[in-house]
Amino acid sequence: MKTRSSARGEPRRLGNVALLALMLCSVVALSLIRGRFAPIVNSAGDAIKSEEEAAAVSKAAVNIDTGDGADEAAAEAAAEEKDKEEAQPKPAAAAAKPVCYETSHRSDTCEAAGDVRVMGSSQTVYVDTLDREWKTKPYCRKHDNFALSHVKEWTLKPLPSGAAPRCTVNSTATAFVLSTGGFTGNPFHDYTDVLIPAFITAHHLGGEVQFLVSSYKSWWVNRYIQIFQQMSRHEVVDIDADDDVRCYRNVVVGPTFHRELGVDASKTPSGYSTADFRKMLRDAFGLERATATPSGDQWDIRRRPRLLIISRRPSRGRAFMNERAMADMAASLGFDVRIGEPDTSTDTSKFARLVNSCDVMVGVHGAGLTNMVFLPAGAVVVQVVPYGRLEWLARNTFAEPSAGMEVHYLEYAVQLDETTLSEQYPSDHPVLRDPMAIHKQGWNALKTTYLDKQNVRPHLGRLKNTFLQALKMLPHGRDD
């Protein structure tokens, strides 16, 4: 039995060898034919192909020789390949953007689309696409508890299926809920907390946005109504006092903050910037000058550079005690001098036009310097920094924003003999000798001491050098 079995297997082995030989001969013959007739330019490629074909034949020979083992090897290889593929980390699915999210260290913004129904009297927004509630206060000082104590909280809720409030007003615009609570009324906060964030959030909507203002102050909205009208084609709504159910397809609750008095173009949908905000202001208030260039008419008084002194009453602190002498000195340098004292009763449009007519604006650190937003590009703002190591405050509020506004910035630091604090305290008092000790007592102590109780009397000689430096930055000065 063993001998017969061996004899029967011999023809099969010989047959396999013959088949292998036949296939190798075919490959060699094919290679010769290709080498004989193929163009020379393809000889290298053909050689590679021939080697690949020969290798394929060798694989076939091995498979023939090993019989069923080839299928097992193929199955094992396939299994190994599958295991490798499964072991490879799969790309993570993109996480769904939350409805409410942090847009900066100062602001949270909520966005939703679908069947949106706003009930202002209860500060509630119903949206059919929500699966949970979200709460937010739509004002850009989210870590300032004092400011937020004057801002109403809004809630976004899933739209109830059975008892949804019926729409009484429908709009195709995007609803935009924001608050004029907080610190509004102070021009710096008006712009940095509300108006510029509103522009950041709404500008890309091309006017198809409706401002729903919470904690509404009619005098405040009227003061800036031209700005809102530039940003929106729709009426501004006192939403807390509104009894309608306002229905939209999209809603934004809470504006987005970028930086003090500025827009970060890298974070806006289409790259718009602080320069675009300033252009919008010129359109809103009819401001003529985009750049600080002198009039072409040699007899026009505006060929002289105009300097504006921002005035403050001494009782408010940070007033110039020698304001008239400063004006006379500036006039002696060739400036056309103006003095303005903006306050809550000031007509914003008129004061904006005054500022825009000027080439240099000088003022002690305070909200009045916010009017730099109206200066033409290439103008100069001079910030007089009160005594008390307040350079950091000056830098954050007005120095850094000036670059985005394309305005030159100069700083005049008040010295000990230029402050009225030296008349209020003995020379060895910490207020004079160690301002940082006052800083460590907190913001209220700092503000009371160095901002509210201090007036200044700049040295005219030192200030003259600053004004001459400003003059050299202007086209007027370069022409002279």
Side-chain angles (χ1 to χ4, degrees), residues 209-238:
V209 58
Q210 183 162 40
F211 291 100
L212 309 180
V213 179
S214 184
S215 302
Y216 186 96
K217 303 169 184 173
S218 58
W219 64 267
W220 190 93
V221 173
N222 290 337
R223 183 177 187 178
Y224 297 113
I225 191 63
Q226 295 99 320
I227 296 176
F228 284 105
Q229 290 171 342
Q230 283 294 314
M231 294 190 286
S232 171
R233 300 188 184 96
H234 304 267
E235 67 170 336
V236 178
V237 178
D238 177 0

Side-chain angles (χ1 to χ4, degrees), residues 314-322 386-387 414-426 431-432 448-458:
S315 60
R316 297 174 56 202
R318 288 167 282 161
F320 289 120
M321 302 304 290
N322 56 344
Y387 181 80
V414 170
Q415 297 180 352
L416 185 57
D417 60 349
E418 297 173 293
T419 172
T420 58
L421 292 175
S422 61
E423 302 165 6
Q424 302 173 40
Y425 296 92
V431 167
L432 303 179
T448 300
T449 304
Y450 295 115
L451 299 181
D452 297 341
K453 293 183 177 180
Q454 176 177 193
N455 292 313
V456 300
R457 188 178 289 104

